[in-house]
Amino acid sequence: MNNAAAGDTARIRILLVEDTEADAELVLASLRSAKLEVEHTRVWSRSGLSDALGHGPWDAVLCDHSMPQFDGLSALYMVRAHDADLPFIIVSGAIGEETAVAAMRNGAQDFVMKQNLRRLGAVLVREMEEARMRRAARIASRNLQAKEALLDSIVNTAADGIVVVTIGGIIEFANPALCRMLGCDPSELDGVPIEDLLQSNTQTAAFWESLFCSSESEQTAPLSLQTHARSRDGTMIPVEIHAGRMLLNGSRRATVVVRDISERLDSQEQMWRLAHFDELSGLPNRLLFRQLLEQALIDAGRSKKPLAVLLIDLDRFKLINDTLGHDTGDEVLRQVTARLRQCLSETDIISRFGGDEFAALIRDIDDADAARAAAKRVLAAVDQPYRLNGEEYHLSASIGISTFPGDSVDATALLRNAELAMYRAKDQGKNNFQFHSPQMNARSFEYVVLERFLRRAIEQDEFLIHYQPQVEVASGRLTGAEALLRWNHPGMGMMQPDKFIPLAEETGLIVPIGRIVMMRACVAAKRWQECGIPGFRVAVNLSPRQFAQSELVADVRHILEDTGLAPEFLELEITESMVMENPERAAAILHELRAVGVKLAIDDFGTGYSSLGYLKRFPVDTLKIDRSFIKDVPADADDVAITHAVIAMGHSLRLLTVAEGVETKAQAEFLATNGCDLMQGYLISRPLPMDEMDRFLAQRCGLVIPQSQPTRA
């Protein structure tokens, strides 16, 4: 708990029911920005609230709705049992329409979304003032004769309209607030039937009958009604009215309090839209789409008409978003939204699920061909070029399709099946659509399990680094090693990289895994240098996901600082496809890395589609010749020609050349004859775990290398 100094009477005493310290700070900051001085006590449990209420008095209660131990409605009931007039304001980041309405009906004064805390100060001041007036009005009603002057002041300064009417419903008095609300003078309301000011319907008729025509008792229980008031210019204003009968100067009268609830209804409407529509695209969000899908399934079951769900994921959108910025990415999403609306029927429902994922509900189709045709139209629409910042860019989409009743009759299953089919489309090379098939469920389950194992592997430190030595071709001198990732799963043993690397890349887990590899490789290189191998360099492969993330350069810099390894002894390997996907951005990243001081290598050179013109612009130091070209030299004339050309090109660009997969003396002799600089492969050594690498280096270099200690990144 955090209390301001007692005795500062100018401060507002706030009881803050909030389980999150950060959110509490945001609420208090918004009050400070509204120039309010508050002292507060924060509680987050039923017992804490009960104890705090007993240490009042409080000026207001600000309460979150969703908390681990109890919710806002429970807190409301406790506060109302303690004090019927204490202002209770819900301050929540996510509250449904029904919950908000229930809270207001049970005595909450207002609710403020955490996304719009700017209005909290005004709401607090208003509700404190209204609480003061409610308490004063209650005192005044019990002591009407003695407190007449006070009553006049309250009525005339109240924010709500207050009307005194005869039992026949004729207005005898209307306060200034009601006149302002209706846009008229007090004299215009004298003698007017109050029913003329309010919307006429059966509900209001029953209300007045209950008020005026019930028993002849002097006082009735207060009555409430939500209706509309008619202003002087004919505008209908939503109002909430509260009325009760009383005895005034020996005659029966009724008092009617009229509150303008336009702002509250606008907030409720805004809350509903925020809860059901995507703000960027204006499309239904996932929640509303699911509700509409469930209703469509009911309708389709009656009409016996099939329907299809299309899950649409944009390919390569992240690249544009990261490269050109989020504002440009938002513009792309708006353009995609417009294209989807154009290429699909008005009866189809389009939704944005978030990020670059959309969905479409295609209703009343005759067969799968209609869904297929819709998917083709979407692919064609997304494929059209996008003009952004004066340049032309291209996107594609991967679409998964599930159908009712063929795939399922359940909304959850249809969405899940469409998602599985969408991932299948991505596996098939993207820019295509796939229908769901039962086999996908088994593969998806395997992926889910493997992803869970991967996350645990990061937490439990199950990854190993093996090192494959690199030597000079001409002299055989050891120069360094390539760090290669291995995963020793406790139950399944050593996992092959091609089994888990693609999933790690897809889920983004490759980023923390990549940091682990780089950290351990740098630690190992520094250790071997200190053991007497000067100039030992370690090469680390970067994945496409790592290369695309904005924190890459900062990560490299921090790892070098933490390990003490000089930058020139870390070589980062990237593939041709990674740099050619967006050459301009790749060049910028490579120049940033070069500024750090690390070495840069193009891995698997010759297997991609690099342009020599682009290659000259990249600040790389090394070309690694793919093992597929080395495997059949010197016997295969084509591989001989390619390898010779790559070595010659590398040297012409003043780059080191490294041959991978060297397994025979004949291959080594060929490389020496053609001037290749470095080589690695089973002829020198297979990839070795740390302890075996220590023995290899000790034997190769004639050193004594102490046993290594396990290293966690």
Side-chain angles (χ1 to χ4, degrees):
M1 294 187 182
N2 181 19
N3 292 318
D8 188 353
T9 57
R11 294 194 175 190
I12 301 170
R13 298 200 68 204
I14 298 296
L15 178 53
L16 183 55
V17 187
E18 173 60 68
D19 63 302
T20 304
E21 181 67 25
D23 283 359
E25 279 302 312
L26 287 175
V27 170
L28 295 172
S30 74
L31 296 179
R32 289 192 291 269
S33 70
K35 310 301 183 185
L36 299 178
E37 293 188 7
V38 302
E39 65 174 291
H40 77 283
T41 293
R42 184 170 75 91
V43 298
W44 52 88
S45 66
R46 190 182 302 274
S47 60
L49 176 58
S50 178
D51 182 66
L53 286 172
H55 289 80
W58 302 102
D59 293 311
V61 177
L62 305 183
C63 181
D64 193 3
H65 171 63
S66 299
M67 292 171 286
Q69 297 190 33
F70 72 133
D71 59 21
L73 284 177
S74 300
L76 173 59
Y77 297 144
M78 293 176 64
V79 171
R80 282 292 161 262
H82 176 79
D83 186 338
D85 291 318
L86 180 61
F88 188 97
I89 302 170
I90 296 177
V91 183
S92 176
I95 181 172
E97 179 182 8
E98 293 184 1
T99 304
V101 171
M104 301 299 287
R105 286 176 175 171
N106 284 279
Q109 270 66 46
D110 209 331
F111 52 85
V112 176
M113 301 298 291
K114 288 182 179 177
Q115 297 90 333
N116 187 24
L117 288 174
R118 289 176 304 210
R119 62 185 289 266
L120 179 57
V123 170
L124 176 59
V125 170
R126 183 193 71 205
E127 293 304 331
M128 287 173 55
E129 176 64 15
E130 292 187 2
R132 183 188 68 80
M133 290 188 292
R134 285 195 302 272
R135 293 188 178 105
R138 183 169 294 161
I139 295 171
S141 66
R142 291 196 302 262
N143 305 281
L144 188 57
Q145 296 295 328
K147 306 290 185 179
E148 192 171 288
L150 177 61
L151 178 61
D152 287 343
S153 173
I154 293 171
V155 169
N156 287 313
T157 59
D160 293 336
I162 300 177
V163 189
V164 177
V165 298
T166 67
I167 290 302
I170 303 300
I171 296 176
E172 289 188 334
F173 168 81
N175 74 339
L178 182 67
C179 296
R180 289 193 299 269
M181 185 189 306
L182 302 181
C184 56
D185 296 327
S187 60
E188 297 180 71
L189 299 179
D190 287 346
V192 174
I194 191 169
E195 293 182 74
D196 291 353
L197 304 181
L198 301 173
Q199 187 179 50
S200 177
N201 53 39
T202 56
Q203 188 179 18
T204 54
F207 178 85
W208 298 125
E209 183 177 357
S210 297
L211 181 64
F212 297 134
C213 303
S214 56
S215 67
E216 293 298 320
S217 61
E218 293 183 350
Q219 186 170 344
T220 63
L223 300 174
S224 299
L225 175 70
Q226 185 170 310
T227 183
H228 287 79
R230 185 179 296 103
S231 69
R232 184 178 187 182
D233 63 7
T235 303
M236 301 302 290
I237 304 168
V239 295
E240 185 177 78
I241 60 177
H242 303 273
R245 294 201 329 199
M246 66 177 182
L247 188 64
L248 180 63
N249 296 329
S251 300
R252 288 192 299 273
R253 296 289 188 272
T255 55
V256 182
V257 178
V258 184
R259 170 175 290 187
D260 184 344
I261 58 172
S262 303
E263 182 180 345
R264 182 197 306 173
L265 295 181
D266 288 344
S267 296
Q268 292 173 354
E269 171 65 19
Q270 182 182 14
M271 285 175 53
W272 188 87
R273 288 201 61 82
L274 288 172
H276 293 86
F277 284 86
D278 172 57
E279 185 175 2
L280 175 66
S281 65
L283 296 174
N285 63 10
R286 183 190 295 266
L287 173 64
L288 182 55
F289 182 84
R290 182 188 176 88
Q291 294 173 358
L292 295 172
L293 174 58
E294 289 173 344
Q295 183 58 51
L297 288 172
I298 295 172
D299 297 340
R302 293 170 181 159
S303 65
K304 308 300 182 185
K305 278 280 192 178
L307 59 77
V309 173
L310 276 60
L311 197 64
I312 306 159
D313 191 84
L314 302 181
D315 304 324
R316 301 176 62 244
F317 170 77
K318 187 177 186 300
L319 182 62
I320 289 180
N321 204 42
D322 291 346
T323 304
L324 304 181
H326 294 296
D327 290 342
T328 303
D330 289 348
E331 174 58 26
V332 170
L333 294 173
R334 282 189 283 266
Q335 291 188 31
V336 170
T337 299
R339 296 181 186 190
L340 292 177
R341 282 175 165 152
Q342 290 173 358
C343 73
L344 295 175
S345 167
E346 291 184 358
T347 61
D348 299 330
I349 297 172
I350 310 167
S351 169
R352 179 175 175 234
F353 278 13
D356 58 359
E357 191 173 57
F358 294 79
L361 171 59
I362 314 298
R363 293 183 287 193
D364 295 336
I365 60 176
D366 294 324
D367 51 35
D369 287 340
R372 184 178 289 107
K376 288 180 178 179
R377 293 196 301 273
V378 171
L379 291 177
V382 173
D383 189 54
Q384 296 300 310
Y386 298 80
R387 296 289 299 178
L388 305 169
N389 302 329
E391 299 290 337
E392 193 172 276
Y393 294 84
H394 290 269
L395 284 177
S396 60
S398 298
I399 303 176
I401 306 173
S402 63
T403 60
F404 164 88
D407 291 321
S408 178
V409 297
D410 174 71
T412 300
L414 281 173
L415 289 170
R416 183 180 66 247
N417 292 342
E419 183 177 24
L420 294 175
M422 182 269 290
Y423 285 126
R424 175 65 175 167
K426 285 191 175 293
D427 290 345
Q428 294 297 312
K430 304 178 181 179
N431 195 25
N432 72 99
F433 63 87
Q434 296 289 325
F435 282 86
H436 173 260
S437 65
Q439 291 77 12
M440 292 181 187
N441 280 310
R443 190 171 68 92
S444 175
F445 179 74
E446 179 184 352
Y447 266 50
V448 169
V449 172
L450 188 59
E451 180 182 351
R452 188 165 68 246
F453 286 164
L454 265 177
R455 294 184 185 278
R456 190 184 66 182
I458 297 173
E459 297 172 358
Q460 301 296 325
D461 192 22
E462 296 173 3
F463 293 110
L464 305 173
I465 312 299
H466 287 193
Y467 299 88
Q468 187 165 40
Q470 294 178 344
V471 300
E472 288 184 344
V473 175
S475 66
R477 183 179 68 87
L478 181 72
T479 60
E482 179 179 2
L484 299 168
L485 177 64
R486 299 292 184 264
W487 178 18
N488 188 19
H489 186 275
M492 296 183 288
M494 195 67 71
M495 302 276 287
Q496 293 301 314
D498 59 0
K499 179 74 173 177
F500 66 89
I501 291 295
L503 180 60
E505 181 75 18
E506 178 183 329
T507 58
L509 294 175
I510 195 66
V511 174
I513 293 173
R515 292 193 189 104
I516 293 173
V517 175
M518 193 180 303
M519 173 67 78
R520 293 186 183 175
C522 289
V523 169
K526 179 68 173 176
R527 174 173 168 271
W528 288 323
Q529 289 179 4
E530 292 173 345
C531 288
I533 310 176
F536 190 95
R537 185 167 63 199
V538 64
V540 176
N541 292 278
L542 291 180
S543 76
R545 194 73 170 256
Q546 282 179 282
F547 192 66
Q549 59 133 352
S550 58
E551 296 84 4
L552 172 62
V553 177
D555 283 346
V556 172
R557 186 181 290 111
H558 292 155
I559 288 172
L560 290 171
E561 291 173 355
D562 291 344
T563 60
L565 182 68
E568 62 267 25
F569 299 121
L570 172 62
E571 182 174 75
L572 301 178
E573 297 186 2
I574 55 178
T575 63
E576 289 181 85
S577 59
M578 287 163 56
V579 295
M580 293 307 297
E581 186 150 330
N582 188 328
E584 299 295 335
R585 181 172 184 274
I589 296 173
L590 293 175
H591 279 290
E592 288 186 58
L593 291 170
R594 168 54 63 84
V596 174
V598 300
K599 300 296 183 181
L600 301 169
I602 299 291
D603 195 14
D604 300 337
F605 187 80
T607 61
Y609 46 89
S610 290
S611 159
L612 183 58
Y614 275 119
L615 188 60
K616 290 165 59 179
R617 295 167 52 191
F618 297 145
V620 297
D621 305 281
T622 304
L623 290 184
K624 298 194 74 175
I625 307 169
D626 188 68
R627 66 184 68 248
S628 63
F629 300 124
I630 303 299
K631 181 179 64 173
D632 293 325
V633 298
D636 187 287
D638 291 337
D639 287 345
V640 166
I642 292 172
T643 303
H644 175 77
V646 173
I647 294 172
M649 181 178 66
H651 288 167
S652 70
L653 296 174
R654 296 182 295 279
L655 304 177
L656 284 175
T657 54
V658 180
E660 298 181 294
V662 179
E663 298 182 355
T664 67
K665 289 184 178 180
Q667 293 169 343
E669 291 170 356
F670 167 80
L671 294 171
T673 301
N674 285 271
C676 185
D677 299 296
L678 305 175
M679 64 180 177
Q680 66 184 75
Y682 276 39
L683 179 65
I684 298 98
S685 172
R686 62 180 174 82
L688 301 171
M690 177 69 81
D691 55 346
E692 294 184 32
M693 186 66 176
D694 283 347
R695 291 194 291 271
F696 174 88
L697 295 176
Q699 182 179 6
R700 186 99 179 184
C701 303
L703 300 171
V704 176
I705 298 180
Q707 184 177 0
S708 63
Q709 298 297 317
T711 303
R712 289 184 64 93

